[in-house]
Amino acid sequence: MTETNLASRLIVGLDVPDLRIAQAVVRELDGVVSFYKIGYQLAFAGGLDFARELVAEGKQVFLDMKLLDIDNTVAKGVENIAKMGVTMLTLHAYPKAMRAAVEAARGTPLCLLAVTVLTSMDESDLIEAGYEYDPHTLVLRRAEQALATGMGGIVCSAGEAAAVRKVVGPELAVVTPGIRPAGTEHGDQKRVVTPADAIRAGSSHLVVARPVVAAVDRRAAAQAILAEMAAA
């Protein structure tokens, strides 16, 4: 696995409160990381314009919006997001929403990712929310539906990546958040694995936020994760 290939598989989550910090993270990681995730926190603090800036600089952007709405609203949102030039976009893996998004993104390079079960949720959380399935079963069911609707990839826990890979085959992206290098705190994540285990399980992309962004030396933290990925 080449260094360039590795860099394109590590996505650093810019889960920070403002653009000043996000810009500092990107500057510090220049030459090491080229792929960044922008979610709700930064999106509502100027992050969408920052996403356009990153794209213009040749960086890849994973826009983590987890869209879910009526078909027309999802479709119109996806159409505009595709025009931004971002690489990946998430939506919740509801079949109607996925079908609308796939049709809206047709002919563009935008990779649509189906969010299966949030990595902050375990079986008791799903029961409380009214689901009849345990996390593993629900993840696989949604992976099958995402494949059938023509989505570009799946977001799931790395603990489920191997099983998901068997469902979706070798071509779809399997993007795994909740990655925690050995010896780091889990925070609010409940279904976590190490970078090496995620790669071995079949993850195509790893999303890492706090272990890099909150590190004293962000550059060294990212390089350590890349080294662990290479060793796997």
Side-chain angles (χ1 to χ4, degrees), residues 35 62 78 87-93 97-99 101-103 105-106 108-116 142-156 164-165 168-176 202-205:
F35 210 155
F62 167 16
V78 169
T87 301
M88 291 176 166
L89 168 70
T90 52
L91 58 147
H92 283 290
M98 290 192 290
R99 285 192 290 267
V102 167
E103 186 58 35
R106 197 175 304 282
T108 78
L110 179 62
C111 179
L112 297 172
L113 301 175
V115 176
T116 54
R142 288 182 163 172
E144 291 170 353
Q145 292 170 329
L147 177 65
T149 55
M151 294 286 284
I154 308 296
V155 180
C156 65
V164 165
R165 182 60 75 192
V168 302
E171 299 302 321
L172 265 66
V174 176
V175 180
T176 51
S203 299
S204 61
H205 298 77

Side-chain angles (χ1 to χ4, degrees), residues 26 28 33-34 49 53 79 90 107 110 170 186 190 216 228:
V26 172
E28 192 169 334
V33 174
S34 60
D49 286 336
E53 292 175 19
E79 287 174 7
T90 52
L110 179 62
H186 287 190
K190 294 182 178 177
V216 174
E228 189 173 343

Side-chain angles (χ1 to χ4, degrees), residues 37-139:
K37 177 181 78 74
I38 293 177
Y40 290 152
Q41 185 180 23
L42 189 61
F44 300 127
L48 297 182
D49 286 336
F50 187 51
R52 293 183 178 91
E53 292 175 19
L54 291 174
V55 170
E57 293 170 5
K59 305 287 196 302
Q60 291 180 286
V61 174
F62 167 16
L63 201 57
D64 190 17
M65 292 291 96
K66 298 184 180 72
L67 301 182
L68 181 61
D69 213 307
I70 63 172
D71 298 359
N72 184 65
T73 300
V74 168
K76 296 305 181 185
V78 169
E79 287 174 7
N80 277 341
I81 290 168
K83 294 173 185 174
M84 294 173 62
V86 301
T87 301
M88 291 176 166
L89 168 70
T90 52
L91 58 147
H92 283 290
Y94 285 68
K96 279 174 64 64
M98 290 192 290
R99 285 192 290 267
V102 167
E103 186 58 35
R106 197 175 304 282
T108 78
L110 179 62
C111 179
L112 297 172
L113 301 175
V115 176
T116 54
V117 176
L118 299 176
T119 52
S120 61
M121 299 181 74
D122 57 19
E123 186 167 4
S124 64
D125 295 315
L126 288 181
I127 291 171
E128 184 180 25
Y131 289 95
E132 61 179 303
Y133 302 106
D134 62 88
H136 186 78
T137 302
L138 184 56
V139 166

